[in-house]
């Protein structure tokens, strides 16, 4: 299903240079595909070479891939050097790398807590810090938060908190980068079918989970990655008078 496909090709990104962390699958890959199809040069990151190689097969010669772990500050510093070498300046940065894990409050471990905050919050913060000096005047940074940063959901207390912290950072970083004329906004996905359920659970379990999401969502369906990618593109390039905002793409789950 390519709901967002009708939006691809309406805008040209010819000559634009875009960095996407966590760009080898799901929402990140959909955004990379949208930009590359529009003429942009895209640099994606991921943690496994196999995933990056598979993504490059879809993206073609307008994309380059760098193996990089968002939780590793040395990797992030090295990424900034690679981006400077390959791109020089950057028009847009989509900070999408993240991780999810669930556990009841009384079963949550320190290891899980640290891992989620290291990737989702600390990693995102220092990625922006490392790459902001390479952003062109008028450029856009987009962070991936989540609908759960405003909802109370069982077994997601740490994940939700890591994304809520990122929402707060969106405002602070937007303020800090105003002198550089760089905008910072966030996209907040709700139930999006990125394929992770199918990869993580038996088919019957995955379908049961999707049906639960569909039945409880105001729009009675789950979204697709292309719909989030379209919002990312708008925030990165079209929302020229918006900074510090969060754009929900959740079928109304956080609003209705």
């Amino acid at each position: 299903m390519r709901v967002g496909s009708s939006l691809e090709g309406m805008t040209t990104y010819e000559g634009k240079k875009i960095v996407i962390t966590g760009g080898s699958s799901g929402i990140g890959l959909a955004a990379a595909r949208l930009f590359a199809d529009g003429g942009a040069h895209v640099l994606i990151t991921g943690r496994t070479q196999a995933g990056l190689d598979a993504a490059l097969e879809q993206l073609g010669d307008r994309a380059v891939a760098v193996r990089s772990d968002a939780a590793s500050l040395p990797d992030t510093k090295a990424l900034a050097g690679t981006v400077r070498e390959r791109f020089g300046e950057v028009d847009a940065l989509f900070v999408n790398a993240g991780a999810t894990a669930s556990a009841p409050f009384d079963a949550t471990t320190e290891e899980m807590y640290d891992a989620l905050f290291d990737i989702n919050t600390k990693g995102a913060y220092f990625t922006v810090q490392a790459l902001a000096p390479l952003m062109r005047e008028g450029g856009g940074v987009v962070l991936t938060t989540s609908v759960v940063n405003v909802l109370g959901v069982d077994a997601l207390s740490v994940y939700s908190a890591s994304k809520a912290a990122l929402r707060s950072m969106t405002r602070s970083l937007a303020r800090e980068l105003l002198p550089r004329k760089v905008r910072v906004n966030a996209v907040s996905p709700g139930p999006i079918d990125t394929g992770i359920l199918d990869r993580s659970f038996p088919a019957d379990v995955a379908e049961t989970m999707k049906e639960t999401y569909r039945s409880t969502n105001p729009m009675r369906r789950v979204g697709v990655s292309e719909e989030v990618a379209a919002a990312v593109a708008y925030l990165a390039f079209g929302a020229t008078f918006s900074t510090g905002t969060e754009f929900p793409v959740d079928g109304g789950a956080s609003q209705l």
Side-chain angles (χ1 to χ4, degrees):
M1 184 180 182
R2 294 288 298 277
V3 174
S5 61
S6 62
L7 299 176
E8 298 170 8
M10 290 176 61
T11 303
T12 178
Y13 303 103
E14 193 71 39
K16 300 298 185 183
K17 297 175 181 177
I18 301 163
V19 175
I20 300 175
T21 67
S24 61
S25 64
I27 292 167
L29 179 57
R33 190 165 51 237
L34 186 156
F35 289 130
D37 288 350
H41 296 282
V42 182
L43 185 149
I44 62 170
T45 75
R47 287 187 288 179
T48 69
Q49 193 60 49
L52 290 169
D53 291 343
L56 286 179
E57 289 184 9
Q58 297 187 44
L59 298 174
D61 58 7
R62 288 189 174 275
V64 295
V66 176
R67 187 173 178 180
S68 183
D69 183 351
S72 166
L73 295 190
D75 277 13
T76 299
K77 291 179 182 178
L79 173 63
T82 300
V83 172
R84 185 186 297 274
E85 178 183 335
R86 298 297 295 263
F87 281 179
E89 291 184 312
V90 175
D91 296 285
L93 168 62
F94 180 26
V95 184
N96 178 65
T100 184
S102 63
F105 170 65
D106 57 3
T108 296
T109 64
E110 182 181 8
E111 289 75 19
M112 185 181 114
Y113 184 100
D114 288 344
L116 287 177
F117 268 86
D118 281 350
I119 297 171
N120 294 345
T121 310
K122 180 180 175 182
Y125 184 92
F126 285 103
T127 295
V128 178
Q129 185 189 73
L131 294 177
L134 304 180
M135 296 290 297
R136 276 203 179 98
E137 190 173 291
V141 177
V142 182
L143 307 172
T144 301
T145 56
S146 171
V147 65
V148 298
N149 69 11
V150 294
L151 300 174
V153 180
D154 287 337
L156 289 178
S157 59
V158 178
Y159 175 75
S160 300
S162 72
K163 292 297 188 176
L166 196 56
R167 173 64 184 102
S168 177
M169 284 181 187
T170 300
R171 293 188 176 96
S172 300
L173 297 178
R175 173 65 69 178
E176 296 250 13
L177 293 180
L178 278 174
R180 304 188 194 190
K181 296 182 171 60
V182 171
R183 296 170 298 102
V184 183
N185 294 289
V187 63
S188 177
I192 306 296
D193 187 0
T194 62
I196 192 170
L197 293 180
D198 296 314
R199 295 191 298 269
S200 303
F201 299 98
D204 59 333
V205 175
E207 184 54 38
T208 297
M209 295 174 72
K210 290 181 196 178
E211 181 53 37
T212 299
Y213 294 148
R214 285 191 287 264
S215 64
T216 57
N217 188 271
M219 293 183 71
R220 294 297 186 266
R221 67 175 179 89
V222 296
V224 294
S225 295
E226 287 81 2
E227 290 175 300
V228 185
V232 171
Y234 171 69
L235 291 172
F237 291 103
T240 55
F241 198 50
S242 298
T243 196
T245 65
E246 183 181 57
F247 189 154
V249 185
D250 62 7
S254 63
Q255 310 297 318
L256 303 178

